[in-house]
Amino acid sequence: MVNGHEALVEHFFRHEYGRIVAILTRSLGIRSVDVIEDAVQQAMFRALTAWRNQGLPDDASAWLYRAAKNVAIDRLRRQKHESSISNDRDDANRNMFDSLAAPEIDAVDEAIPDDRLRLLFLACHPELSLDYTLAISLKLVSGFGTNEIASALLISQANAEKRIARAKERLRKVGRELAEVDQTVFEDRIEAVQATLYLIFSEGFASSVGPSPLRRDLCDEAIRLTRMLVEQCPVSQTSSSALLAVMLFHAARLKTRLDTQGAIVLLEDQNREAWDWNQIREGMTWLQRSATGGELSRYHIEAAIAWEHCRAPQFDAIDWQQVCRYYEVLCERFPGPMVRLNHAIAVGYHRGHAESLKMLSGSQSTTT
Amino acid sequence: MAKFLLIYRDKAEPATMPSPEEMQGFLALWGEWFQQFAGNIVDGGDGLLPTGRVLQPNGEVANGPYIEAKEMIGGFSVVQADHYEQAVEIARHCPITKVGGAIEIREFANYN
């Protein structure tokens, strides 16, 4: 009796949400995104009753998609009927419904992740600030609820709602349609997408407020999306592989970052044997792959630094000289206050704290 | 053992929809409930659509269940238990209560 319940994989509903929103956005248009989201929620809510006795049916994904599609089309038809009996949009609407009737949308699993990637690029619109692309990506592509976005980002529910509403408004006004996300868009926005994914990860990683499963979820979700970016984006950039490596190296050490009371454990006190070595190995693979082009992004250097930390058998064995060299490159090419601070810390371990204080106070230092 | 009908009274649609993750959580709770009370649940029952017809003694038919939406019958299950206390205990663990639904527990008369 519980077989179907046992088949419930982790985050199934959340992942289905992003998948179905993406497919329906392709066929119904970004202007209908609110209707689409409501429809997917409706479909899932019905599934709660439909599946409660036996658990998930074999065709759970298709069931949810069909249910959501029917609710969405029904709503749009009613909206259209209510707003006007005849206007110049009728033909466009009829075409829209006709295309939905096409059976190919129901199947073709390979086409589906592609739509999710396009939706991510659509959400990372240059006119939206990083805070907004972060919120809207989590909502539409990752299937997080507004309440979950609020608590994961440590902002109020009202603030999260505002960001999402404004982002949608912009996307409806200036955004393209999913089908129009083409090679040019992939090229133009890949850096913005990378930045958004890195921010999602960092938000989850910088958990100074105690262990919350939601923030771990943010890290996992960022890795999942970055993996999708690496595997499916037609604009292949080694920086995406490097970004994935950075995330995996950090995520591997996530569990040992907090003690049982939820306090931060210093790097030197972390139990290296408890690190997730599968993740570190996978990160290594991506780091190697990222080294195959001429490109040198900040993610390449950050991955190299994280790898130096991972590969040392204990804290005393970290090659600080190498780490300092990487930071110098980072400071030179991608300067910023955090980079400078981390550089100074590394110099402190390498040559003593006096040297790092000198750096931070702005005096000249020699760190080769 | 006596049989009891659990009548789920809930909202057809909650004011704020739970997030996908929360919904998955509810579904998992149903799985646990069925497992925990496998020996008691005779029939998992079904949900009921929010639509309906009401037939009056005079033959008139009206659309929709009459009762206010807040206590609409959304579904039912059948369980067996030794007494009301046990039936209530089974119902107490039912996930319907987690989504704001009430459960009416009625013992079968066994007339037939």
Side-chain angles (χ1 to χ4, degrees):
Chain A
M1 188 191 277
V2 290
N3 279 346
H5 280 291
E6 279 158 10
L8 194 54
V9 296
E10 207 184 4
H11 307 315
F12 174 79
F13 275 56
R14 193 183 266 172
H15 294 170
E16 282 298 304
Y17 188 92
R19 188 183 72 89
I20 300 171
V21 166
I23 311 171
L24 288 180
T25 301
R26 176 193 276 277
S27 41
L28 298 173
I30 189 72
R31 67 188 174 282
S32 304
V33 70
D34 282 330
V35 172
I36 293 169
E37 281 200 289
D38 281 348
V40 180
Q41 284 175 332
Q42 274 287 333
M44 290 184 166
F45 197 72
R46 285 182 196 175
L48 285 187
T49 307
W51 299 347
R52 68 189 181 200
N53 292 3
Q54 308 289 333
L56 259 64
D58 288 340
D59 65 341
S61 295
W63 192 100
L64 283 176
Y65 171 70
R66 273 196 310 272
K69 185 180 84 172
N70 290 340
V71 174
I73 292 178
D74 193 52
R75 291 246 174 112
L76 289 174
R77 281 216 175 101
R78 232 179 307 150
Q79 266 183 13
K80 192 187 112 191
H81 188 75
E82 281 163 13
S83 63
S84 70
I85 306 302
S86 75
N87 63 27
D88 53 353
R89 278 188 161 177
D90 264 14
D91 280 340
N93 280 336
R94 201 172 298 122
N95 288 340
M96 183 172 84
F97 293 130
D98 285 348
S99 71
L100 265 175
E104 29 108 17
I105 299 172
D106 279 321
V108 200
D109 254 25
E110 288 83 347
I112 287 160
D114 182 46
D115 279 342
R116 222 163 17 196
L117 186 72
R118 278 166 205 274
L119 187 59
L120 179 63
F121 274 79
L122 194 77
C124 292
H125 193 280
E127 276 192 33
L128 290 176
S129 72
L130 211 48
D131 281 348
Y132 283 56
T133 61
L134 175 72
I136 196 70
S137 302
L138 285 176
K139 183 77 168 60
L140 296 183
V141 188
S142 303
F144 279 58
T146 311
N147 53 342
E148 291 160 355
I149 293 172
S151 49
L153 301 181
L154 307 175
I155 57 177
S156 70
Q157 171 101 13
N159 193 345
E161 275 165 18
K162 192 186 81 185
R163 286 188 198 183
I164 290 161
R166 292 219 179 134
K168 277 187 191 167
E169 196 186 300
R170 287 315 291 162
L171 290 183
R172 269 191 296 259
K173 273 199 188 125
V174 299
R176 297 178 179 227
E177 289 299 336
L178 211 62
E180 294 167 352
V181 175
D182 54 14
Q183 188 73 12
T184 326
V185 177
F186 281 124
E187 279 167 16
D188 289 350
R189 295 193 190 169
I190 187 154
E191 280 180 31
V193 168
Q194 287 171 342
T196 301
L197 297 182
Y198 199 23
L199 186 60
I200 292 176
F201 184 86
S202 307
E203 284 288 347
F205 194 75
S207 166
S208 54
V209 291
S212 155
L214 259 175
R215 298 179 70 85
R216 172 84 220 192
D217 279 7
L218 281 188
C219 292
D220 290 345
E221 181 61 17
I223 290 174
R224 196 173 76 95
L225 294 177
T226 308
R227 198 174 273 134
M228 178 174 85
L229 182 70
V230 168
E231 288 168 358
Q232 293 175 30
C233 184
V235 180
S236 93
Q237 290 211 354
T238 59
S239 49
S240 299
S241 304
L243 175 60
L244 184 53
V246 176
M247 290 180 182
L248 288 165
F249 287 148
H250 286 303
R253 297 179 283 161
L254 200 58
K255 267 182 240 145
T256 57
R257 270 183 90 235
L258 298 175
D259 65 19
T260 45
Q261 267 81 50
I264 298 265
V265 179
L266 296 175
L267 190 56
E268 43 261 69
D269 299 330
Q270 286 181 21
N271 176 9
R272 286 168 184 254
E273 271 151 37
W275 288 354
D276 185 335
W277 287 93
N278 282 332
Q279 276 189 319
I280 293 176
R281 268 190 291 276
E282 199 203 333
M284 195 54 225
T285 310
W286 290 115
L287 181 60
Q288 277 165 348
R289 251 182 246 187
S290 76
T292 52
E295 190 189 7
L296 184 65
S297 66
R298 57 177 284 213
Y299 307 121
H300 283 90
I301 310 166
E302 287 185 30
I305 293 170
W307 167 241
E308 284 300 325
H309 285 293
C310 288
R311 81 184 180 99
Q314 69 261 344
F315 186 78
D316 297 343
I318 293 172
D319 185 348
W320 288 109
Q321 190 175 3
Q322 186 60 40
V323 171
C324 287
R325 266 190 227 119
Y326 288 139
Y327 271 117
E328 274 164 42
V329 184
L330 206 53
C331 283
E332 191 185 308
R333 304 184 58 145
F334 309 96
M338 281 311 288
V339 174
R340 204 165 143 250
L341 179 64
N342 285 326
H343 184 196
I345 292 169
V347 167
Y349 280 117
H350 180 40
R351 312 179 137 240
H353 295 302
E355 195 73 21
S356 70
L357 285 175
K358 225 193 301 173
M359 272 180 73
L360 285 175
S361 61
S363 9
Q364 204 63 27
S365 73
T366 49
T367 53
T368 35
Chain B
M1 269 200 181
K3 274 191 193 171
F4 296 84
L5 181 65
L6 304 189
I7 303 163
Y8 304 137
R9 296 185 179 278
D10 50 14
K11 291 174 188 144
E13 203 177 309
T16 47
M17 273 281 183
S19 75
E21 191 77 358
E22 287 164 336
M23 291 204 251
Q24 175 150 354
F26 293 140
L27 194 58
L29 287 177
W30 279 103
E32 285 164 25
W33 189 64
F34 274 100
Q35 204 162 27
Q36 188 180 354
F37 297 103
N40 298 95
I41 297 165
V42 179
D43 183 350
D46 207 339
L48 297 171
L49 294 174
T51 55
R53 302 285 182 279
V54 179
L55 174 63
Q56 297 293 355
N58 64 7
E60 271 177 34
V61 177
N63 275 343
Y66 271 144
I67 317 146
E68 282 179 45
K70 62 174 178 178
E71 50 176 29
M72 185 124 80
I73 299 175
F76 63 92
S77 300
V78 179
V79 302
Q80 55 184 12
D82 291 329
H83 36 67
Y84 260 114
E85 282 67 34
Q86 195 190 0
V88 169
E89 200 48 33
I90 295 166
R92 198 183 294 284
H93 288 85
C94 176
I96 282 287
T97 57
K98 304 283 197 302
V99 281
I103 303 176
E104 183 178 328
I105 301 149
R106 305 285 298 272
E107 186 173 355
F108 279 44
N110 270 324
Y111 292 145
N112 297 305

PDB file of all heavy atoms in Angstrom, chain B residues 57-85:
ATOM      1  N   PRO B  57     -36.919  17.449  -0.984  1.00  0.00           N
ATOM      2  CA  PRO B  57     -38.051  16.495  -0.941  1.00  0.00           C
ATOM      3  C   PRO B  57     -39.114  16.815  -1.984  1.00  0.00           C
ATOM      4  O   PRO B  57     -39.800  15.911  -2.478  1.00  0.00           O
ATOM      5  CB  PRO B  57     -38.626  16.690   0.467  1.00  0.00           C
ATOM      6  CG  PRO B  57     -37.587  17.388   1.249  1.00  0.00           C
ATOM      7  CD  PRO B  57     -36.685  18.117   0.297  1.00  0.00           C
ATOM      8  N   ASN B  58     -39.216  18.093  -2.332  1.00  0.00           N
ATOM      9  CA  ASN B  58     -40.233  18.455  -3.330  1.00  0.00           C
ATOM     10  C   ASN B  58     -39.746  18.234  -4.756  1.00  0.00           C
ATOM     11  O   ASN B  58     -40.429  18.590  -5.705  1.00  0.00           O
ATOM     12  CB  ASN B  58     -40.679  19.902  -3.124  1.00  0.00           C
ATOM     13  CG  ASN B  58     -39.534  20.883  -3.362  1.00  0.00           C
ATOM     14  OD1 ASN B  58     -38.433  20.493  -3.818  1.00  0.00           O
ATOM     15  ND2 ASN B  58     -39.760  22.141  -3.054  1.00  0.00           N
ATOM     16  N   GLY B  59     -38.580  17.695  -4.902  1.00  0.00           N
ATOM     17  CA  GLY B  59     -38.093  17.368  -6.242  1.00  0.00           C
ATOM     18  C   GLY B  59     -37.208  18.423  -6.865  1.00  0.00           C
ATOM     19  O   GLY B  59     -36.622  18.199  -7.919  1.00  0.00           O
ATOM     20  N   GLU B  60     -37.077  19.567  -6.196  1.00  0.00           N
ATOM     21  CA  GLU B  60     -36.222  20.620  -6.741  1.00  0.00           C
ATOM     22  C   GLU B  60     -34.745  20.247  -6.598  1.00  0.00           C
ATOM     23  O   GLU B  60     -34.351  19.665  -5.586  1.00  0.00           O
ATOM     24  CB  GLU B  60     -36.464  21.932  -5.992  1.00  0.00           C
ATOM     25  CG  GLU B  60     -37.555  22.779  -6.594  1.00  0.00           C
ATOM     26  CD  GLU B  60     -37.802  24.020  -5.764  1.00  0.00           C
ATOM     27  OE1 GLU B  60     -36.821  24.557  -5.184  1.00  0.00           O
ATOM     28  OE2 GLU B  60     -38.973  24.435  -5.673  1.00  0.00           O
ATOM     29  N   VAL B  61     -33.994  20.614  -7.614  1.00  0.00           N
ATOM     30  CA  VAL B  61     -32.555  20.335  -7.569  1.00  0.00           C
ATOM     31  C   VAL B  61     -31.790  21.649  -7.600  1.00  0.00           C
ATOM     32  O   VAL B  61     -32.044  22.503  -8.444  1.00  0.00           O
ATOM     33  CB  VAL B  61     -32.132  19.457  -8.764  1.00  0.00           C
ATOM     34  CG1 VAL B  61     -30.616  19.240  -8.749  1.00  0.00           C
ATOM     35  CG2 VAL B  61     -32.862  18.125  -8.730  1.00  0.00           C
ATOM     36  N   ALA B  62     -30.890  21.827  -6.653  1.00  0.00           N
ATOM     37  CA  ALA B  62     -30.069  23.039  -6.626  1.00  0.00           C
ATOM     38  C   ALA B  62     -28.612  22.663  -6.853  1.00  0.00           C
ATOM     39  O   ALA B  62     -28.203  21.544  -6.557  1.00  0.00           O
ATOM     40  CB  ALA B  62     -30.228  23.745  -5.280  1.00  0.00           C
ATOM     41  N   ASN B  63     -27.866  23.615  -7.375  1.00  0.00           N
ATOM     42  CA  ASN B  63     -26.434  23.390  -7.599  1.00  0.00           C
ATOM     43  C   ASN B  63     -25.631  23.599  -6.329  1.00  0.00           C
ATOM     44  O   ASN B  63     -25.915  24.514  -5.560  1.00  0.00           O
ATOM     45  CB  ASN B  63     -25.910  24.346  -8.668  1.00  0.00           C
ATOM     46  CG  ASN B  63     -26.134  23.795 -10.057  1.00  0.00           C
ATOM     47  OD1 ASN B  63     -26.385  22.597 -10.221  1.00  0.00           O
ATOM     48  ND2 ASN B  63     -26.060  24.656 -11.031  1.00  0.00           N
ATOM     49  N   GLY B  64     -24.628  22.776  -6.142  1.00  0.00           N
ATOM     50  CA  GLY B  64     -23.643  23.028  -5.091  1.00  0.00           C
ATOM     51  C   GLY B  64     -24.081  22.559  -3.733  1.00  0.00           C
ATOM     52  O   GLY B  64     -25.265  22.595  -3.411  1.00  0.00           O
ATOM     53  N   PRO B  65     -23.111  22.124  -2.923  1.00  0.00           N
ATOM     54  CA  PRO B  65     -23.453  21.788  -1.542  1.00  0.00           C
ATOM     55  C   PRO B  65     -23.856  23.073  -0.823  1.00  0.00           C
ATOM     56  O   PRO B  65     -23.283  24.122  -1.067  1.00  0.00           O
ATOM     57  CB  PRO B  65     -22.140  21.233  -0.970  1.00  0.00           C
ATOM     58  CG  PRO B  65     -21.152  21.242  -2.077  1.00  0.00           C
ATOM     59  CD  PRO B  65     -21.698  22.021  -3.213  1.00  0.00           C
ATOM     60  N   TYR B  66     -24.856  22.977   0.040  1.00  0.00           N
ATOM     61  CA  TYR B  66     -25.382  24.156   0.721  1.00  0.00           C
ATOM     62  C   TYR B  66     -24.434  24.725   1.743  1.00  0.00           C
ATOM     63  O   TYR B  66     -24.288  25.914   1.917  1.00  0.00           O
ATOM     64  CB  TYR B  66     -26.667  23.775   1.476  1.00  0.00           C
ATOM     65  CG  TYR B  66     -27.892  23.924   0.658  1.00  0.00           C
ATOM     66  CD1 TYR B  66     -28.938  23.032   0.795  1.00  0.00           C
ATOM     67  CD2 TYR B  66     -28.017  24.975  -0.244  1.00  0.00           C
ATOM     68  CE1 TYR B  66     -30.085  23.155   0.039  1.00  0.00           C
ATOM     69  CE2 TYR B  66     -29.155  25.111  -1.007  1.00  0.00           C
ATOM     70  CZ  TYR B  66     -30.195  24.193  -0.859  1.00  0.00           C
ATOM     71  OH  TYR B  66     -31.314  24.328  -1.589  1.00  0.00           O
ATOM     72  N   ILE B  67     -23.840  23.804   2.450  1.00  0.00           N
ATOM     73  CA  ILE B  67     -23.108  24.175   3.645  1.00  0.00           C
ATOM     74  C   ILE B  67     -22.015  25.176   3.309  1.00  0.00           C
ATOM     75  O   ILE B  67     -21.422  25.122   2.243  1.00  0.00           O
ATOM     76  CB  ILE B  67     -22.504  22.920   4.273  1.00  0.00           C
ATOM     77  CG1 ILE B  67     -23.557  21.807   4.244  1.00  0.00           C
ATOM     78  CG2 ILE B  67     -22.050  23.174   5.687  1.00  0.00           C
ATOM     79  CD1 ILE B  67     -22.979  20.460   4.042  1.00  0.00           C
ATOM     80  N   GLU B  68     -21.769  26.066   4.236  1.00  0.00           N
ATOM     81  CA  GLU B  68     -20.746  27.089   4.015  1.00  0.00           C
ATOM     82  C   GLU B  68     -19.417  26.457   3.656  1.00  0.00           C
ATOM     83  O   GLU B  68     -19.072  25.400   4.155  1.00  0.00           O
ATOM     84  CB  GLU B  68     -20.575  27.926   5.292  1.00  0.00           C
ATOM     85  CG  GLU B  68     -21.668  28.955   5.468  1.00  0.00           C
ATOM     86  CD  GLU B  68     -21.443  29.712   6.755  1.00  0.00           C
ATOM     87  OE1 GLU B  68     -20.294  30.093   7.008  1.00  0.00           O
ATOM     88  OE2 GLU B  68     -22.418  29.909   7.500  1.00  0.00           O
ATOM     89  N   ALA B  69     -18.683  27.188   2.821  1.00  0.00           N
ATOM     90  CA  ALA B  69     -17.438  26.653   2.278  1.00  0.00           C
ATOM     91  C   ALA B  69     -16.465  26.240   3.385  1.00  0.00           C
ATOM     92  O   ALA B  69     -15.690  25.318   3.218  1.00  0.00           O
ATOM     93  CB  ALA B  69     -16.780  27.680   1.372  1.00  0.00           C
ATOM     94  N   LYS B  70     -16.535  26.907   4.515  1.00  0.00           N
ATOM     95  CA  LYS B  70     -15.526  26.621   5.546  1.00  0.00           C
ATOM     96  C   LYS B  70     -15.693  25.220   6.133  1.00  0.00           C
ATOM     97  O   LYS B  70     -14.778  24.680   6.720  1.00  0.00           O
ATOM     98  CB  LYS B  70     -15.556  27.679   6.642  1.00  0.00           C
ATOM     99  CG  LYS B  70     -16.838  27.765   7.406  1.00  0.00           C
ATOM    100  CD  LYS B  70     -16.704  28.746   8.558  1.00  0.00           C
ATOM    101  CE  LYS B  70     -18.039  28.854   9.279  1.00  0.00           C
ATOM    102  NZ  LYS B  70     -17.987  29.735  10.422  1.00  0.00           N
ATOM    103  N   GLU B  71     -16.867  24.653   6.006  1.00  0.00           N
ATOM    104  CA  GLU B  71     -17.006  23.293   6.527  1.00  0.00           C
ATOM    105  C   GLU B  71     -17.500  22.311   5.465  1.00  0.00           C
ATOM    106  O   GLU B  71     -18.291  21.424   5.724  1.00  0.00           O
ATOM    107  CB  GLU B  71     -17.914  23.273   7.757  1.00  0.00           C
ATOM    108  CG  GLU B  71     -19.224  23.995   7.558  1.00  0.00           C
ATOM    109  CD  GLU B  71     -20.120  23.860   8.778  1.00  0.00           C
ATOM    110  OE1 GLU B  71     -19.576  23.723   9.897  1.00  0.00           O
ATOM    111  OE2 GLU B  71     -21.341  23.861   8.608  1.00  0.00           O
ATOM    112  N   MET B  72     -17.036  22.524   4.256  1.00  0.00           N
ATOM    113  CA  MET B  72     -17.398  21.634   3.172  1.00  0.00           C
ATOM    114  C   MET B  72     -16.791  20.247   3.381  1.00  0.00           C
ATOM    115  O   MET B  72     -15.686  20.106   3.891  1.00  0.00           O
ATOM    116  CB  MET B  72     -16.846  22.202   1.868  1.00  0.00           C
ATOM    117  CG  MET B  72     -17.281  21.412   0.676  1.00  0.00           C
ATOM    118  SD  MET B  72     -18.105  22.460  -0.496  1.00  0.00           S
ATOM    119  CE  MET B  72     -16.724  23.215  -1.302  1.00  0.00           C
ATOM    120  N   ILE B  73     -17.566  19.230   3.006  1.00  0.00           N
ATOM    121  CA  ILE B  73     -17.021  17.874   3.108  1.00  0.00           C
ATOM    122  C   ILE B  73     -16.077  17.642   1.939  1.00  0.00           C
ATOM    123  O   ILE B  73     -16.480  17.654   0.786  1.00  0.00           O
ATOM    124  CB  ILE B  73     -18.145  16.825   3.101  1.00  0.00           C
ATOM    125  CG1 ILE B  73     -19.064  17.045   4.306  1.00  0.00           C
ATOM    126  CG2 ILE B  73     -17.559  15.413   3.126  1.00  0.00           C
ATOM    127  CD1 ILE B  73     -20.279  16.138   4.321  1.00  0.00           C
ATOM    128  N   GLY B  74     -14.809  17.455   2.253  1.00  0.00           N
ATOM    129  CA  GLY B  74     -13.797  17.338   1.215  1.00  0.00           C
ATOM    130  C   GLY B  74     -13.373  15.906   0.944  1.00  0.00           C
ATOM    131  O   GLY B  74     -12.697  15.636  -0.047  1.00  0.00           O
ATOM    132  N   GLY B  75     -13.793  14.984   1.812  1.00  0.00           N
ATOM    133  CA  GLY B  75     -13.388  13.597   1.598  1.00  0.00           C
ATOM    134  C   GLY B  75     -13.713  12.753   2.805  1.00  0.00           C
ATOM    135  O   GLY B  75     -14.310  13.229   3.775  1.00  0.00           O
ATOM    136  N   PHE B  76     -13.353  11.481   2.734  1.00  0.00           N
ATOM    137  CA  PHE B  76     -13.686  10.575   3.832  1.00  0.00           C
ATOM    138  C   PHE B  76     -12.766   9.360   3.825  1.00  0.00           C
ATOM    139  O   PHE B  76     -12.127   9.071   2.809  1.00  0.00           O
ATOM    140  CB  PHE B  76     -15.137  10.093   3.694  1.00  0.00           C
ATOM    141  CG  PHE B  76     -15.359   9.302   2.434  1.00  0.00           C
ATOM    142  CD1 PHE B  76     -15.225   7.911   2.437  1.00  0.00           C
ATOM    143  CD2 PHE B  76     -15.665   9.940   1.246  1.00  0.00           C
ATOM    144  CE1 PHE B  76     -15.403   7.189   1.267  1.00  0.00           C
ATOM    145  CE2 PHE B  76     -15.830   9.212   0.080  1.00  0.00           C
ATOM    146  CZ  PHE B  76     -15.708   7.838   0.091  1.00  0.00           C
ATOM    147  N   SER B  77     -12.687   8.685   4.949  1.00  0.00           N
ATOM    148  CA  SER B  77     -12.018   7.385   5.047  1.00  0.00           C
ATOM    149  C   SER B  77     -12.824   6.533   6.018  1.00  0.00           C
ATOM    150  O   SER B  77     -13.642   7.056   6.784  1.00  0.00           O
ATOM    151  CB  SER B  77     -10.593   7.523   5.579  1.00  0.00           C
ATOM    152  OG  SER B  77      -9.806   8.333   4.741  1.00  0.00           O
ATOM    153  N   VAL B  78     -12.593   5.218   5.977  1.00  0.00           N
ATOM    154  CA  VAL B  78     -13.259   4.321   6.918  1.00  0.00           C
ATOM    155  C   VAL B  78     -12.185   3.608   7.744  1.00  0.00           C
ATOM    156  O   VAL B  78     -11.235   3.049   7.194  1.00  0.00           O
ATOM    157  CB  VAL B  78     -14.130   3.276   6.183  1.00  0.00           C
ATOM    158  CG1 VAL B  78     -14.791   2.324   7.182  1.00  0.00           C
ATOM    159  CG2 VAL B  78     -15.173   3.971   5.322  1.00  0.00           C
ATOM    160  N   VAL B  79     -12.328   3.659   9.068  1.00  0.00           N
ATOM    161  CA  VAL B  79     -11.369   2.968   9.931  1.00  0.00           C
ATOM    162  C   VAL B  79     -12.115   2.037  10.884  1.00  0.00           C
ATOM    163  O   VAL B  79     -13.320   2.195  11.106  1.00  0.00           O
ATOM    164  CB  VAL B  79     -10.518   3.966  10.762  1.00  0.00           C
ATOM    165  CG1 VAL B  79      -9.763   4.918   9.850  1.00  0.00           C
ATOM    166  CG2 VAL B  79     -11.378   4.740  11.750  1.00  0.00           C
ATOM    167  N   GLN B  80     -11.409   1.078  11.433  1.00  0.00           N
ATOM    168  CA  GLN B  80     -12.008   0.243  12.473  1.00  0.00           C
ATOM    169  C   GLN B  80     -11.245   0.444  13.773  1.00  0.00           C
ATOM    170  O   GLN B  80     -10.025   0.596  13.777  1.00  0.00           O
ATOM    171  CB  GLN B  80     -12.039  -1.223  12.064  1.00  0.00           C
ATOM    172  CG  GLN B  80     -10.692  -1.798  11.674  1.00  0.00           C
ATOM    173  CD  GLN B  80     -10.807  -3.239  11.195  1.00  0.00           C
ATOM    174  OE1 GLN B  80     -11.906  -3.732  10.955  1.00  0.00           O
ATOM    175  NE2 GLN B  80      -9.676  -3.903  11.071  1.00  0.00           N
ATOM    176  N   ALA B  81     -11.992   0.462  14.871  1.00  0.00           N
ATOM    177  CA  ALA B  81     -11.377   0.722  16.168  1.00  0.00           C
ATOM    178  C   ALA B  81     -12.241   0.092  17.251  1.00  0.00           C
ATOM    179  O   ALA B  81     -13.411  -0.237  17.016  1.00  0.00           O
ATOM    180  CB  ALA B  81     -11.241   2.226  16.401  1.00  0.00           C
ATOM    181  N   ASP B  82     -11.681  -0.079  18.458  1.00  0.00           N
ATOM    182  CA  ASP B  82     -12.424  -0.712  19.546  1.00  0.00           C
ATOM    183  C   ASP B  82     -13.483   0.224  20.135  1.00  0.00           C
ATOM    184  O   ASP B  82     -14.517  -0.210  20.589  1.00  0.00           O
ATOM    185  CB  ASP B  82     -11.455  -1.136  20.667  1.00  0.00           C
ATOM    186  CG  ASP B  82     -10.571  -2.287  20.220  1.00  0.00           C
ATOM    187  OD1 ASP B  82     -11.053  -3.093  19.385  1.00  0.00           O
ATOM    188  OD2 ASP B  82      -9.414  -2.371  20.667  1.00  0.00           O
ATOM    189  N   HIS B  83     -13.166   1.501  20.139  1.00  0.00           N
ATOM    190  CA  HIS B  83     -14.101   2.461  20.725  1.00  0.00           C
ATOM    191  C   HIS B  83     -13.799   3.854  20.164  1.00  0.00           C
ATOM    192  O   HIS B  83     -12.807   4.042  19.453  1.00  0.00           O
ATOM    193  CB  HIS B  83     -13.983   2.478  22.251  1.00  0.00           C
ATOM    194  CG  HIS B  83     -12.572   2.287  22.718  1.00  0.00           C
ATOM    195  ND1 HIS B  83     -11.596   3.217  22.488  1.00  0.00           N
ATOM    196  CD2 HIS B  83     -11.976   1.243  23.350  1.00  0.00           C
ATOM    197  CE1 HIS B  83     -10.446   2.779  22.989  1.00  0.00           C
ATOM    198  NE2 HIS B  83     -10.650   1.569  23.501  1.00  0.00           N
ATOM    199  N   TYR B  84     -14.619   4.806  20.551  1.00  0.00           N
ATOM    200  CA  TYR B  84     -14.463   6.164  20.024  1.00  0.00           C
ATOM    201  C   TYR B  84     -13.091   6.745  20.317  1.00  0.00           C
ATOM    202  O   TYR B  84     -12.482   7.401  19.485  1.00  0.00           O
ATOM    203  CB  TYR B  84     -15.548   7.093  20.592  1.00  0.00           C
ATOM    204  CG  TYR B  84     -16.688   7.319  19.618  1.00  0.00           C
ATOM    205  CD1 TYR B  84     -17.973   6.864  19.889  1.00  0.00           C
ATOM    206  CD2 TYR B  84     -16.455   7.993  18.406  1.00  0.00           C
ATOM    207  CE1 TYR B  84     -18.999   7.053  18.976  1.00  0.00           C
ATOM    208  CE2 TYR B  84     -17.481   8.189  17.499  1.00  0.00           C
ATOM    209  CZ  TYR B  84     -18.747   7.715  17.784  1.00  0.00           C
ATOM    210  OH  TYR B  84     -19.764   7.906  16.889  1.00  0.00           O
ATOM    211  N   GLU B  85     -12.600   6.476  21.528  1.00  0.00           N
ATOM    212  CA  GLU B  85     -11.309   7.061  21.909  1.00  0.00           C
ATOM    213  C   GLU B  85     -10.215   6.651  20.918  1.00  0.00           C
ATOM    214  O   GLU B  85      -9.391   7.463  20.513  1.00  0.00           O
ATOM    215  CB  GLU B  85     -10.904   6.631  23.332  1.00  0.00           C
ATOM    216  CG  GLU B  85     -11.615   7.373  24.446  1.00  0.00           C
ATOM    217  CD  GLU B  85     -13.105   7.041  24.491  1.00  0.00           C
ATOM    218  OE1 GLU B  85     -13.473   5.884  24.178  1.00  0.00           O
ATOM    219  OE2 GLU B  85     -13.904   7.944  24.799  1.00  0.00           O
TER     220      GLU B  85
END
